[in-house]
Amino acid sequence: MAWRKNRTAGAINILSKKPGFDWGGEAELSYGSRDFLKAKAAVTGPIAGDVLAFRLSGSVTRQDGYIRNSARDEDQNNIHNDAIRGQLLFASSDDVSLRLIGDWSNFKNNCCAQVHVRVAPTLKPARWCCAPIR
């Protein structure tokens, strides 16, 4: 029996590439403003004939911070992400297969400093308390 459910915005289905029994690989490198760098790579191949295969993939993302926090003497809003995924595929027949997946990730971002676009006028006086501070 198949269950169906209506979805207003649709559905998201994320699939990982399976290990292959033929040797293969792929790589991608991106560079952008503020020294943004993203590198991704993967390799796949057989370990034991047509029975056991592996896939190893990883990514690194870096970007310099672009807001200087002078109180803490550091740049903020930087990106420093690393991730690795390893997979083993055991396929004894067309009907029986087992996939073992392991993930590791490390996110060391110095994130989310506020960026002020402008100062807006206000109706509050500069000092809105009636009693003087003594």
Side-chain angles (χ1 to χ4, degrees), residues 5-131:
K5 181 175 171 96
N6 293 335
R7 292 170 183 88
T8 303
I12 297 174
N13 189 11
I14 301 172
L15 300 173
S16 298
K17 285 187 179 179
K18 290 182 180 179
F21 290 99
D22 295 322
W23 286 101
E26 55 195 58
E28 177 183 325
L29 184 64
S30 302
Y31 182 79
S33 62
R34 293 189 298 270
D35 290 331
F36 175 83
L37 178 67
K38 181 174 223 166
K40 297 193 266 186
V43 63
T44 187
I47 294 177
D50 291 342
V51 177
L52 186 63
F54 79 97
R55 180 175 178 85
L56 183 63
S57 55
S59 70
V60 173
T61 307
R62 300 282 188 276
Q63 184 175 29
D64 292 343
Y66 52 92
I67 295 178
R68 185 72 185 164
N69 184 336
S70 57
R72 297 178 67 178
D73 193 31
E74 64 186 13
D75 291 333
Q76 293 187 310
N77 287 6
N78 67 352
I79 300 173
H80 187 113
N81 299 338
D82 304 317
I84 297 173
R85 170 177 274 193
Q87 300 182 60
L88 290 175
L89 174 63
F90 175 75
S92 59
S93 69
D94 290 339
D95 297 328
V96 177
S97 68
L98 174 69
R99 188 162 53 147
L100 179 65
I101 302 172
D103 288 308
W104 175 85
S105 59
N106 186 22
F107 301 105
K108 290 185 177 179
N109 303 327
N110 191 348
C111 173
C112 308
Q114 289 183 342
V115 179
H116 299 285
V117 177
R118 63 185 171 92
V119 177
T122 180
L123 297 176
K124 293 181 182 178
R127 179 159 183 204
W128 41 274
C129 179
C130 302

